[in-house]
Amino acid sequence: MKRITILGSTGSVGTQALEVVRDHPTVFKVSVLSALKNSALLIQQALEFKPAIVVICDEGKYNEVKNALFGLDIKVLAGEAALAQVAAYVDSDVVLTALMGSVGLKPTIAAIKAGKNIALANKETLVVAGELITQLAIENQVKILPVDSEHSAIFQCLVGEEQNEIEKIYLTASGGPFLGKTKDFLSTVKKEQALKHPNWVMGAKITIDSASLMNKGLEVIEAKWLFNLDVDQIDVIVHPQSIVHSLVQFTDGSMKAQMGVPDMKLPIQYALNYPDRLKNNFKRFNFLEYPNFSFLKADMETFRNLDLAFTSLRKGGNMPCILNAANEIVVEAFLKDKIGFLQMSEVIEQCMEEISFIEKPQLSDYLETDKHSRILAGELVTKSIV
Ligand code: MN3
């Protein structure tokens, strides 16, 4: 049995991971579950999956969870700090980090130090501190197994290719709901339009990131660290059908792609049970439903976030951390109608210009950078007029 810790079990990836566990009761066992504030769902999940520990980050809901699970052999903890503690829980083999945003950093570090393999769904962790995390994983001999569909695709293409060099990777992007739109159009869009993703059902933050192409930008940075690449070895190609999940090109020009119907449960299942594949009844691809595949250049002039992400990666140091923190603030502001769609890029760019650059950051530098960028981005949002 693989014993699994799910940090962020009530979110989109978390709930889908539990569906995978439910379908394979002889393969997986849940050790730890954690939720930000959805206590009702956390209680329901705890009653069904009987983990040893649950964490509710919102401390105001501790009593509710504690009372609901009274008499059961389930330890209840509260507060964000408890995440790092449970990430190192001894009776667990894999930690699925399905948290939203840079809050995933500390628990991921704790899990790696405790020798746990990481099923990484929280891309912000690698965006903020990719160098530190990958180095730590090597030192502690743990695997970082990507859950992000594009990175899972690359990871699957690389199985059996350990001795072969990668020339280039292509990350595919659906283009999101605003594919082909102009800046004029984007200047007036509202959250309701941005939240309608054509192919994937995901949480609000990542859906907005997909609409602005920031999600692809974060994925470029994630790919750099996961696969130890130079920025020039990473390319983004728009593929609106979202069937080719990404491609690897080797030094002989040969390319491998991983394909499938868009369903996050597939990369989740692959990461949780790596290296073995599991039978399932997920929808199968049908060629007749897709007579044409298309591939287009990503429009980085209209969707500036992707360009900003490449710029931050070229600059290195704490620059991706600044980009990520500012982005978390502007997405939250956009979801509250406090800022326009295009202004999100403007605030991020200004933060990248104004926050002090640190070439070789330590963990404390990342945490400080994250904090300062959030404060500055918040001030810029307040000053902006929608
Ligand atoms: Mn993705």
Side-chain angles (χ1 to χ4, degrees):
M1 292 276 272
K2 282 214 174 164
R3 300 165 302 174
I4 298 180
T5 290
I6 303 179
L7 303 181
S9 66
T10 57
S12 173
V13 168
T15 51
Q16 293 182 80
L18 286 172
E19 285 177 40
V20 169
V21 171
R22 188 183 289 125
D23 288 344
H24 300 280
T26 58
V27 180
F28 302 116
K29 179 179 178 347
V30 174
S31 293
V32 180
L33 294 175
S34 92
L36 183 61
K37 52 181 188 265
N38 190 344
S39 48
L41 184 54
L42 180 66
I43 290 164
Q44 194 189 317
Q45 292 175 340
L47 293 171
E48 179 181 353
F49 294 98
K50 308 278 184 328
I53 311 173
V54 298
V55 179
I56 180 80
C57 291
D58 181 347
E59 293 176 48
K61 296 191 168 165
Y62 171 75
N63 282 331
E64 181 197 343
V65 178
K66 181 85 185 155
N67 293 338
L69 302 178
F70 180 78
L72 299 169
D73 196 13
I74 300 174
K75 193 170 172 182
V76 180
L77 300 172
E80 201 182 294
L83 292 178
Q85 191 188 330
V86 298
Y89 177 58
V90 60
D91 288 327
S92 177
D93 306 303
V94 188
V95 176
L96 172 64
T97 61
L99 302 152
M100 191 196 77
S102 60
V103 65
L105 185 58
K106 283 185 192 169
T108 307
I109 290 174
I112 294 173
K113 284 185 174 167
K116 312 293 177 192
N117 286 334
I118 306 293
L120 186 97
N122 175 246
K123 68 191 77 179
E124 289 89 344
T125 294
L126 283 185
V127 172
V128 170
E131 191 163 12
L132 188 145
I133 295 286
T134 44
Q135 191 53 43
L136 212 53
I138 293 167
E139 283 166 20
N140 289 276
Q141 295 176 306
V142 309
K143 286 201 164 54
I144 299 184
L145 305 155
V147 170
D148 211 344
S149 61
E150 296 80 358
H151 305 75
S152 176
I154 303 285
F155 192 75
Q156 293 180 54
C157 290
L158 292 174
V159 170
E161 301 280 1
E162 291 72 18
Q163 72 281 22
N164 289 322
E165 220 179 293
I166 299 169
E167 187 168 85
K168 193 164 193 167
I169 66 165
Y170 289 92
L171 295 178
T172 52
S174 69
F178 302 142
L179 176 61
K181 299 297 186 197
T182 61
K183 277 197 180 176
D184 262 0
F185 177 90
L186 293 176
S187 65
T188 62
V189 297
K190 291 285 170 215
K191 63 171 185 249
E192 291 75 16
Q193 293 157 278
L195 285 170
K196 282 190 191 126
H197 196 279
N199 303 339
W200 295 97
V201 180
M202 305 175 290
K205 198 259 176 183
I206 186 171
T207 305
I208 299 300
D209 283 344
S210 296
S212 73
L213 292 201
M214 181 55 95
N215 182 53
K216 210 49 56 181
L218 300 178
E219 290 181 353
V220 167
I221 302 170
E222 184 185 11
K224 186 235 165 8
W225 296 114
L226 277 173
F227 306 114
N228 191 23
L229 301 168
D230 287 333
V231 56
D232 297 321
Q233 289 176 287
I234 309 168
D235 215 337
V236 170
I237 193 86
V238 175
H239 167 50
Q241 295 82 19
S242 295
I243 299 295
V244 178
H245 295 311
S246 278
L247 309 94
V248 180
Q249 180 177 308
F250 295 96
T251 42
D252 59 355
S254 179
M255 298 170 91
K256 279 168 93 173
Q258 186 265 341
M259 296 166 53
V261 174
D263 182 346
M264 278 309 292
K265 290 204 291 294
L266 194 57
I268 291 169
Q269 177 181 298
Y270 188 77
L272 292 181
N273 204 48
Y274 174 82
D276 298 319
R277 294 184 184 274
L278 283 171
K279 278 189 183 155
N280 62 37
N281 55 8
F282 303 163
K283 186 171 186 274
R284 263 46 175 173
F285 177 73
N286 177 354
F287 280 94
L288 302 181
E289 285 174 27
Y290 294 90
N292 296 300
F293 276 3
S294 42
F295 298 94
L296 311 148
K297 189 175 154 48
D299 179 358
M300 295 208 277
E301 264 168 53
T302 307
F303 297 91
R304 293 192 47 234
N305 281 354
L306 181 55
D307 192 36
L308 291 171
F310 269 108
T311 303
S312 79
L313 191 52
R314 283 202 167 89
K315 194 99 202 254
N318 63 340
M319 201 53 92
C321 176
I322 299 170
L323 169 102
N324 178 70
N327 182 57
E328 287 187 30
I329 296 298
V330 294
V331 169
E332 203 184 314
F334 178 73
L335 285 169
K336 290 178 179 162
D337 299 315
K338 286 183 183 167
I339 186 173
F341 191 81
L342 293 175
Q343 285 174 308
M344 291 197 286
S345 307
E346 291 166 21
V347 171
I348 295 165
E349 186 174 37
Q350 205 165 332
C351 287
M352 287 168 67
E353 280 165 13
E354 288 185 28
I355 300 285
S356 332
F357 178 65
I358 303 168
E359 203 179 338
K360 296 241 174 274
Q362 307 295 307
L363 178 60
S364 56
D365 298 318
Y366 286 121
L367 298 173
E368 279 292 295
T369 300
D370 183 76
K371 195 172 99 189
H372 289 148
S373 308
R374 282 164 193 277
I375 293 169
L376 178 59
E379 287 169 5
L380 293 170
V381 165
T382 312
K383 278 190 222 153
S384 76
I385 301 152
V386 183

